Amino acid sequence: MAETTVLDQIIEGVKEDLAARKQLVPLEEVKRRAAEAAPARDALAALTPNADSAFAVISEVKRRSPSKGALADIPEPADLAAEYEAGGAAAISVLTEQRRFGGSLADFDAVRARVDVPLLRKDFTVDEYQIYEARAHGADLVLLIVAALTDQELSDFLELTHELGMNALVETHTPEEIERAAKVGSKIVGVNVRNLKTLDVDTGHYAELAKHLPAGVVTVAESGVEDIEQVKTYAHAGADAVLVGEALVKHAQPRETVAEFTATGHAIRSAAR
């Protein structure tokens, strides 16, 4: 029998909570709401390096994590998101998984009403319902974790995401998963350096995995950013963007920190061109 991972445990809870939401709001109703939502913002363009912005920061509204427990009391997620936007965040990620991360769609709605940058609905996508649900709530990006999906699910979910006008952050952890992400035509590929079995993080692992990334995709380094040094590590390894949660929610000056991370990464990536 295969070993049960933390990811497996999280997804079990996600499916239970999803079943409850389906009872309250049927799929057809969610599809209707998605169709009536304002058009999605172009997250791919926001994250793609250019002369003015060679590096992007995806700033995350994150209350808890399975590895660290409670991270920060965030009474007003919209206020925090506004600080991120003012600091130059290219996109904002909002956790909506409740059991392990303390997130909610209410948090997402509050942030959507406040900021104009692209928003990532950060959750564990295992059903098309969640993709329509994300669009209905104004999401511009969804998270697709390769390790949690079959090849067919990954392909179908990515296609649906694009049909709805959104983009997907396709998260990988191994060379094999990067290959799977490439095969389905992923445009934004995240490399998460957190071990799904132990939850340990090795930021140095990104450079090794990055060698397997296909050309022409936007690459996002995920996990392990505690301060500017990790941003430098990822930028030197070729990352186009970093996704940062803990370092920002625990920081007294999130606006200034986002600006510093962005400027540092931009300088490194610009010099490497």
Side-chain angles (χ1 to χ4, degrees), residues 40-60:
R41 293 157 178 80
D42 192 341
L44 179 61
L47 297 175
T48 298
N50 56 56
D52 297 323
S53 178
F55 188 81
V57 173
I58 305 173
S59 305
E60 192 157 80

Side-chain angles (χ1 to χ4, degrees), residues 51-172:
D52 297 323
S53 178
F55 188 81
V57 173
I58 305 173
S59 305
E60 192 157 80
V61 177
K62 184 177 184 179
R63 300 175 185 275
R64 297 177 51 85
S65 79
S67 59
K68 299 288 185 67
L71 297 174
D73 179 28
I74 306 175
E76 298 294 341
D79 290 346
L80 177 60
E83 287 292 292
Y84 290 162
E85 183 177 41
I92 295 174
S93 168
V94 183
L95 264 300
T96 60
E97 196 281 334
Q98 181 175 358
R99 299 189 183 203
R100 298 295 187 99
F101 293 89
S104 67
L105 282 166
D107 281 354
F108 191 94
D109 290 341
V111 172
R112 177 74 290 165
R114 185 73 171 274
V115 303
D116 198 41
V117 297
L119 291 192
L120 165 65
R121 192 253 177 110
K122 184 81 174 289
D123 211 314
F124 298 78
T125 305
V126 294
D127 191 293
E128 67 170 7
Y129 183 99
Q130 294 164 285
I131 300 174
Y132 285 108
E133 186 179 52
R135 184 79 280 276
H137 284 265
D140 312 293
L141 274 164
V142 295
L143 179 68
L144 300 179
I145 302 175
V146 176
L149 303 170
T150 66
D151 287 345
Q152 190 63 56
E153 288 172 332
L154 181 61
S155 178
D156 290 347
F157 290 173
L158 184 61
E159 182 178 359
L160 175 59
T161 298
H162 291 159
E163 286 177 0
L164 294 176
M166 298 186 291
N167 282 283
L169 171 58
V170 180
E171 180 176 299
T172 64

